[in-house]
Amino acid sequence: MILSIQHLYYLVGAILVITAGMTLADASHPKRYSSALFWGLYALVFLIGERLPPIWVGVGVVVMALIAGFGGVGAGHHRARSAEQYLASAKRLGNRLFMPALAIPLVTVIGTLSAKYLSVGGLPLIDPKNTTLVSLGIGCVISFGLACWLTRESPAQGIRESRRLTDALGWALVLPQMLGMLGLVFSDAGVGKAVAFATTSYINMDIRFVAVAVYVIGMALFTVVMGNGFAAFPVMTGGVGVPILFGVYHGDPAVMAAIGMMSGYCGTLLTPMAANFNIVPAALLELPDKNAVIRAQVPTALTLLLANVFLLNFLMFR
């Protein structure tokens, strides 16, 4: 293949290396050494992670967690434009501002649908196993080029803006990747079996509605803790869904999986651990309350979660 997921990792790693270098070179940065080390370690995971022994990667993750936990990741001082400059730029560009943003999903869809027809010398142009992610990376690169062309700014300015946003998001930027693997860790550690033992020992699962409620609410609660519905799914499905809802009550597994994941998404709306959904928007919009997004979503999440209990109870056993 020509373009694989590894090339996307190299690109992300290179951007993080530049971010770490710019942070280290910023003499006005209050925590430049620890912040540069944090982003440098994160860059290594993308650049040479597959070549490192797993224990080394684990140590690096622990060091990153310690740096973030002790407040070692900080933001530098960035020269922000005035509101008048932003307004003048917006008026000059008009609706063309949407072109880079729309280019990303457009290129992603085109690349995903046409990947099997694209080949060079008999080799696929895009990794057949990761067509969507690779196409997304290509879309981001094209979008970056469009943004530079429209705004008449240099790529260097784009890198500086990237570092500013990275500083604004801080350690929360790494949460999606870390939490995405948590479900596998929990599964290998036998958490699903522990959940099954705890629920059957202390909760009366002989009542079908109770078993349904435990599964739905448990999906939301585990997502709140882990910040990722995909991480919670194997735990609750392996602990309650498969052995009880499917094994005992013979429910429809497709309905169970669909409504179970929807219940997990209800938990996503309620937790700061889902940083890419709840903390990142607040940081990008510079909201004074970092939990403002979560507060606005609470009524929707709780209402939908209650509805999911009844939906699963009625639809799964038809």
Side-chain angles (χ1 to χ4, degrees):
M1 69 195 69
I2 307 300
L3 296 174
S4 69
I5 190 67
Q6 193 61 46
H7 294 100
L8 186 58
Y9 292 158
Y10 290 152
L11 177 60
V12 174
I15 294 173
L16 288 171
V17 166
I18 295 173
T19 299
M22 294 175 69
T23 300
L24 189 61
D26 184 2
S28 63
H29 197 298
K31 300 175 181 178
R32 62 169 172 164
Y33 295 111
S34 56
S35 295
L37 176 60
F38 181 89
W39 298 119
L41 289 173
Y42 194 36
L44 287 178
V45 174
F46 288 97
L47 293 174
I48 58 174
E50 80 285 357
R51 303 174 191 171
L52 295 175
I55 186 66
W56 289 19
V57 177
V59 170
V61 171
V62 171
V63 172
M64 289 176 63
L66 290 174
I67 293 174
F70 285 99
V73 182
H77 298 288
H78 303 277
R79 184 181 300 174
R81 294 182 178 181
S82 64
E84 291 75 13
Q85 289 176 313
Y86 280 121
L87 182 59
S89 179
K91 287 182 177 180
R92 177 174 62 85
L93 296 173
N95 290 333
R96 291 180 297 166
L97 279 171
F98 293 101
M99 290 175 58
L102 294 176
I104 297 176
L106 180 62
V107 173
T108 301
V109 171
I110 292 175
T112 302
L113 297 179
S114 63
K116 60 182 179 180
Y117 304 108
L118 302 176
S119 62
V120 177
L123 294 175
L125 181 62
I126 298 176
D127 183 358
K129 296 180 180 179
N130 298 284
T131 53
T132 302
L133 287 177
V134 175
S135 299
L136 175 63
I138 296 172
C140 290
V141 173
I142 293 175
S143 175
F144 179 63
L146 277 174
C148 291
W149 174 66
L150 284 173
T151 60
R152 301 170 190 171
E153 295 284 358
S154 67
Q157 177 61 25
I159 295 297
R160 286 192 287 269
E161 286 297 307
S162 172
R163 184 214 163 193
R164 182 183 67 82
L165 289 176
T166 300
D167 276 357
L169 300 178
W171 58 266
L173 186 68
V174 311
L175 273 181
Q177 183 184 9
M178 300 297 182
L179 295 174
M181 298 302 297
L182 196 57
L184 294 176
V185 174
F186 274 37
S187 179
D188 290 343
V191 175
K193 296 179 180 179
V195 170
F197 174 78
T199 53
T200 55
S201 299
Y202 300 102
I203 300 176
N204 184 11
M205 291 293 187
D206 293 333
I207 302 175
R208 191 183 72 181
F209 185 81
V210 172
V212 168
V214 168
Y215 177 69
V216 170
I217 297 173
M219 273 293 300
L221 291 178
F222 265 92
T223 302
V224 168
V225 173
M226 296 188 282
N228 191 304
F230 291 99
F233 185 77
V235 175
M236 288 306 300
T237 302
V240 177
V242 172
I244 299 176
L245 297 184
F246 177 72
V248 175
Y249 294 110
H250 309 291
D252 187 338
V255 176
M256 177 190 70
I259 298 182
M261 282 303 301
M262 191 190 304
S263 303
Y265 297 150
C266 292
T268 300
L269 299 177
L270 299 171
T271 176
M273 295 295 286
N276 51 328
F277 294 109
N278 301 329
I279 301 300
V280 170
L284 292 178
L285 296 174
E286 299 179 352
L287 300 179
D289 182 3
K290 66 178 182 180
N291 293 317
V293 175
I294 297 175
R295 296 182 194 280
Q297 295 172 163
V298 168
T300 301
L302 295 181
T303 303
L304 183 57
L305 189 63
L306 179 62
N308 283 345
V309 175
F310 291 95
L311 281 175
L312 185 58
N313 187 61
F314 292 133
L315 297 179
M316 185 177 177
F317 308 101
R318 294 180 61 182

mmCIF file of all heavy atoms in Angstrom, residues 80-90:
data_model
loop_
_atom_site.group_PDB
_atom_site.id
_atom_site.type_symbol
_atom_site.label_atom_id
_atom_site.label_comp_id
_atom_site.label_asym_id
_atom_site.label_seq_id
_atom_site.Cartn_x
_atom_site.Cartn_y
_atom_site.Cartn_z
ATOM 1 N N ALA A 80 -2.724 37.201 20.924
ATOM 2 C CA ALA A 80 -4.055 37.044 20.329
ATOM 3 C C ALA A 80 -4.432 38.285 19.529
ATOM 4 O O ALA A 80 -4.048 39.410 19.869
ATOM 5 C CB ALA A 80 -5.084 36.809 21.428
ATOM 6 N N ARG A 81 -5.170 38.052 18.453
ATOM 7 C CA ARG A 81 -5.670 39.167 17.665
ATOM 8 C C ARG A 81 -6.837 39.828 18.385
ATOM 9 O O ARG A 81 -7.510 39.222 19.210
ATOM 10 C CB ARG A 81 -6.130 38.670 16.287
ATOM 11 C CG ARG A 81 -4.994 38.148 15.409
ATOM 12 C CD ARG A 81 -5.529 37.733 14.054
ATOM 13 N NE ARG A 81 -4.466 37.282 13.178
ATOM 14 C CZ ARG A 81 -4.661 36.890 11.924
ATOM 15 N NH1 ARG A 81 -5.881 36.883 11.428
ATOM 16 N NH2 ARG A 81 -3.640 36.502 11.189
ATOM 17 N N SER A 82 -7.081 41.081 18.043
ATOM 18 C CA SER A 82 -8.191 41.809 18.652
ATOM 19 C C SER A 82 -9.509 41.365 18.025
ATOM 20 O O SER A 82 -9.542 40.756 16.945
ATOM 21 C CB SER A 82 -8.008 43.312 18.449
ATOM 22 O OG SER A 82 -8.066 43.632 17.069
ATOM 23 N N ALA A 83 -10.596 41.673 18.702
ATOM 24 C CA ALA A 83 -11.921 41.326 18.186
ATOM 25 C C ALA A 83 -12.177 42.022 16.851
ATOM 26 O O ALA A 83 -12.824 41.463 15.961
ATOM 27 C CB ALA A 83 -12.986 41.708 19.206
ATOM 28 N N GLU A 84 -11.644 43.239 16.698
ATOM 29 C CA GLU A 84 -11.830 43.975 15.448
ATOM 30 C C GLU A 84 -11.122 43.276 14.292
ATOM 31 O O GLU A 84 -11.640 43.216 13.169
ATOM 32 C CB GLU A 84 -11.302 45.409 15.582
ATOM 33 C CG GLU A 84 -12.117 46.299 16.513
ATOM 34 C CD GLU A 84 -11.875 45.974 17.987
ATOM 35 O OE1 GLU A 84 -10.904 45.247 18.281
ATOM 36 O OE2 GLU A 84 -12.664 46.435 18.834
ATOM 37 N N GLN A 85 -9.927 42.720 14.564
ATOM 38 C CA GLN A 85 -9.197 42.005 13.518
ATOM 39 C C GLN A 85 -9.918 40.718 13.110
ATOM 40 O O GLN A 85 -9.996 40.392 11.926
ATOM 41 C CB GLN A 85 -7.787 41.678 14.009
ATOM 42 C CG GLN A 85 -6.869 42.885 14.118
ATOM 43 C CD GLN A 85 -5.520 42.524 14.708
ATOM 44 O OE1 GLN A 85 -5.440 41.836 15.724
ATOM 45 N NE2 GLN A 85 -4.458 43.006 14.071
ATOM 46 N N TYR A 86 -10.457 40.007 14.107
ATOM 47 C CA TYR A 86 -11.222 38.796 13.790
ATOM 48 C C TYR A 86 -12.448 39.145 12.950
ATOM 49 O O TYR A 86 -12.788 38.444 11.984
ATOM 50 C CB TYR A 86 -11.664 38.099 15.081
ATOM 51 C CG TYR A 86 -10.597 37.265 15.724
ATOM 52 C CD1 TYR A 86 -10.177 37.521 17.026
ATOM 53 C CD2 TYR A 86 -10.007 36.191 15.042
ATOM 54 C CE1 TYR A 86 -9.201 36.746 17.633
ATOM 55 C CE2 TYR A 86 -9.026 35.418 15.641
ATOM 56 C CZ TYR A 86 -8.629 35.700 16.937
ATOM 57 O OH TYR A 86 -7.656 34.928 17.526
ATOM 58 N N LEU A 87 -13.152 40.234 13.296
ATOM 59 C CA LEU A 87 -14.356 40.637 12.582
ATOM 60 C C LEU A 87 -14.031 41.047 11.152
ATOM 61 O O LEU A 87 -14.743 40.670 10.205
ATOM 62 C CB LEU A 87 -15.040 41.792 13.316
ATOM 63 C CG LEU A 87 -16.354 42.295 12.713
ATOM 64 C CD1 LEU A 87 -17.375 41.169 12.662
ATOM 65 C CD2 LEU A 87 -16.894 43.477 13.517
ATOM 66 N N ALA A 88 -12.939 41.791 10.991
ATOM 67 C CA ALA A 88 -12.544 42.214 9.643
ATOM 68 C C ALA A 88 -12.188 41.015 8.773
ATOM 69 O O ALA A 88 -12.536 40.954 7.588
ATOM 70 C CB ALA A 88 -11.359 43.175 9.735
ATOM 71 N N SER A 89 -11.491 40.037 9.359
ATOM 72 C CA SER A 89 -11.126 38.827 8.617
ATOM 73 C C SER A 89 -12.369 38.027 8.231
ATOM 74 O O SER A 89 -12.475 37.515 7.112
ATOM 75 C CB SER A 89 -10.188 37.962 9.458
ATOM 76 O OG SER A 89 -9.846 36.772 8.776
ATOM 77 N N ALA A 90 -13.320 37.928 9.151
ATOM 78 C CA ALA A 90 -14.552 37.189 8.872
ATOM 79 C C ALA A 90 -15.346 37.855 7.757
ATOM 80 O O ALA A 90 -15.900 37.174 6.877
ATOM 81 C CB ALA A 90 -15.393 37.090 10.138
#
